[in-house]
């Protein structure tokens, strides 16, 4: 753990599933991950740390949850300053396209006009709603405790509420929304059942809901839970919804669940939930969850070989991307390779390495700091300033998403950045 964050980080232990309440679960190997998904300023280093958490797989509903993880106090303090991606600025917007297209498809399925009531929960800068507003939709609401109202053009007339969402939201919006959209937020909610109750209560009978989240084995430290098909099927089963579809596309980092709320209320059924599909899904994820990284082993072996070869050359090693994927790639190098790659002049929590060059596509993050797996921080540079005409021994693309990788390759070509070898994760 970073020493600068030691006073901020405390942990909590749990003994039952936060979705179904069961104590029938399988403990999984401990994971560790950095908190922030983007680099941070030098005076904000206390907002990052390397967190160790212990996940578990619920054998009753299929959700993955923390047996030991960040305390509510630490999560509250950290989330207030969390550096989420703002797709409305263009960064990461390609990764939203499947989500946006899915929401639009539900609007079309319901035959809604431009007066349809649509809400995005946890939308941050309301990128989805901005797209819909530009297409003529008029009743749009964003609910997020960190809603970035300053980047939402006022002429779009999107109603933004800086508030937490839960069952109390039904007091304001009972059966109000035709469509509810929620991207990668459900993983972050500690009172999970209250959150789900709020979603169900605010959705009109006959309405549709689109919820996305990362796959069960894609874990990071601020998550409370990880949901796959089984967990979403349980939610439909327990809350009187219909799970219309669940899918994960190779180019996206998230799975998509589509729910329909029947026009006639349906009490939760007590029919057998653990059918063959449930059991097959559990057994598919079990070996993957028992690994300490979601990254493929053969790719990590290839990376180790390429970095070792590059270290024998007197040229920089570039890591393009400074998020969770980059952290995991560097963390899975051997201890010997990490020691060589991260070697340099240290001044407090900052290390100036001799060989490693960290870059990304955000000019505003020039001079910010990325937390290395050894607990030290390393300066990040804006790619379009640092890479023109540069010759490197190795380029590591620190992104697993297909769209991010394509964007990086296009930028590198435009900068005439040359490299003797390249590593990219399969996608």
């Amino acid at each position: 753990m970073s020493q600068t964050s030691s006073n901020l980080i405390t942990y909590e232990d749990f003994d039952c599933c936060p979705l179904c309440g069961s104590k029938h679960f399988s403990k999984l190997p401990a994971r560790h991950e950095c908190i922030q998904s983007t680099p941070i300023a030098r005076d904000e280093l206390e907002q990052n740390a390397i967190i160790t958490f212990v996940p578990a797989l619920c054998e009753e509903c299929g959700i993955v949850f923390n047996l030991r993880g960040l305390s509510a106090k630490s999560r509250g303090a950290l989330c207030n300053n969390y550096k989420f991606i703002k797709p409305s600025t263009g960064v990461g917007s390609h990764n939203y396209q499947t989500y946006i297209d899915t929401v639009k498809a539900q609007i079309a399925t319901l035959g809604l006009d431009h007066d349809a009531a649509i809400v995005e929960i946890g939308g941050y800068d309301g990128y989805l709603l901005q797209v819909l507003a530009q297409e003529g939709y008029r009743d749009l609401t964003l609910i997020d405790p960190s809603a970035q109202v300053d980047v939402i053009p006022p002429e779009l007339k999107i109603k933004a509420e800086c508030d937490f969402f839960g069952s109390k939201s039904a007091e304001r919006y009972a059966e109000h929304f035709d469509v509810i959209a929620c991207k990668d937020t459900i993983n972050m909610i500690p009172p999970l059942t209250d959150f789900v109750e709020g979603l169900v209560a605010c959705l009109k009978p006959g309405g549709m809901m689109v919820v996305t989240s990362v796959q069960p084995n894609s874990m990071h430290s601020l998550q409370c839970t990880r949901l796959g098909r089984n967990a979403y099927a349980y939610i439909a089963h327990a809350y009187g919804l219909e799970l219309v579809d669940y899918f994960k596309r190779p180019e996206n980092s998230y799975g998509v669940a589509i729910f329909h709320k029947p026009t006639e209320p349906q009490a939760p059924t007590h029919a057998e939930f653990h059918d063959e599909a449930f059991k097959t899904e559990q057994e598919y994820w079990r070996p993957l969850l028992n690994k300490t990284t979601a990254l493929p082993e053969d790719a990590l072996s290839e990376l180790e070989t390429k970095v070792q070869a590059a270290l024998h050359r007197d040229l920089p090693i570039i890591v393009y991307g400074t998020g969770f994927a980059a952290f995991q790639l560097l963390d899975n190098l051997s201890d010997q390779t990490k020691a060589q790659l991260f070697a340099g002049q240290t001044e407090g929590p900052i290390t100036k390495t001799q060989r490693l060059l960290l870059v990304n596509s955000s000019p505003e993050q020039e001079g910010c700091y990325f937390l290395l797996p050894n607990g030290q921080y390393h300066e990040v540079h804006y790619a379009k300033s640092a890479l023109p005409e540069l010759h490197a021994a190795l380029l590591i693309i620190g992104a697993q998403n297909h769209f991010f990788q394509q964007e990086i390759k296009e930028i590198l070509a435009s900068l005439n950045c040359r490299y003797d070898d390249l590593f990219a994760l399969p996608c």
Side-chain angles (χ1 to χ4, degrees), residues 228-247:
R229 183 185 298 276
N230 277 353
Y232 286 121
Y234 176 85
I235 289 172
H237 162 84
Y239 291 89
L241 301 174
E242 298 171 357
L243 182 60
V244 176
D245 195 10
Y246 175 83
F247 62 90

Side-chain angles (χ1 to χ4, degrees), residues 28-41:
L28 302 169
R31 299 277 192 115
H32 65 275
E33 177 62 271
C34 60
I35 295 171
Q36 296 286 353
S37 64
T38 63
I40 56 178

Side-chain angles (χ1 to χ4, degrees), residues 47-159:
Q47 294 296 328
N48 207 354
I50 298 173
I51 302 300
T52 299
F53 57 96
V54 180
L57 170 65
C58 180
E59 302 293 357
E60 296 299 320
C61 70
I63 200 170
V64 179
F65 66 97
N66 287 346
L67 277 178
R68 179 174 176 79
L70 282 172
S71 67
K73 180 179 179 181
S74 289
R75 285 173 47 80
L78 293 166
C79 286
N80 285 338
N81 295 292
Y82 191 74
K83 309 298 182 182
F84 292 101
I85 290 173
K86 294 179 182 177
S88 62
T89 65
V91 177
S93 59
H94 290 306
N95 195 36
Y96 276 66
Q97 198 57 53
T98 297
Y99 167 62
I100 292 171
D101 290 344
T102 304
V103 172
K104 288 182 179 180
Q106 307 323 304
I107 295 172
T109 296
L110 295 174
L112 300 173
D113 60 24
H114 285 163
D115 289 320
I118 302 169
V119 64
E120 185 173 26
I121 310 300
Y124 200 52
D125 64 344
Y127 179 57
L128 163 71
L129 301 180
Q130 292 189 49
V131 171
L132 294 177
Q134 290 164 0
E135 295 183 3
Y137 291 91
R138 294 181 283 269
D139 189 353
L140 304 173
T141 304
L142 169 66
I143 303 177
D144 187 316
S146 302
Q148 302 294 289
V149 295
D150 57 322
V151 300
I152 301 176
E155 62 270 19
L156 297 182
K157 298 182 180 179
I158 296 170
K159 180 182 179 182

Side-chain angles (χ1 to χ4, degrees), residues 57 59 230 277-288:
L57 170 65
E59 302 293 357
N230 277 353
F278 177 90
K279 295 173 184 176
T280 299
E281 187 78 359
Q282 290 288 92
E283 294 313 309
Y284 170 79
W285 285 111
R286 199 178 305 280
L288 298 175

Side-chain angles (χ1 to χ4, degrees), residues 299-319:
L300 295 175
S301 177
E302 177 191 355
L303 175 64
E304 175 76 18
T305 300
K306 287 178 178 286
V307 173
Q308 271 296 324
L311 284 168
H312 287 88
R313 303 203 57 199
D314 190 23
L315 290 171
I317 296 173
I318 302 169
V319 175

Side-chain angles (χ1 to χ4, degrees), residues 9 14 17 42 91-93 140-141 171 194 263 279 294 325 378 389 399 406:
I9 305 304
F14 304 90
C17 172
R42 185 162 186 159
V91 177
S93 59
L140 304 173
T141 304
E171 298 173 7
D194 183 75
T263 53
K279 295 173 184 176
H378 187 52
E389 308 298 331
Q406 287 300 113

Side-chain angles (χ1 to χ4, degrees), residues 252-266:
N252 297 130
S253 58
Y254 51 87
V256 181
I258 304 171
F259 295 94
H260 173 251
K261 185 175 183 178
T263 53
E264 294 296 327
Q266 297 181 2

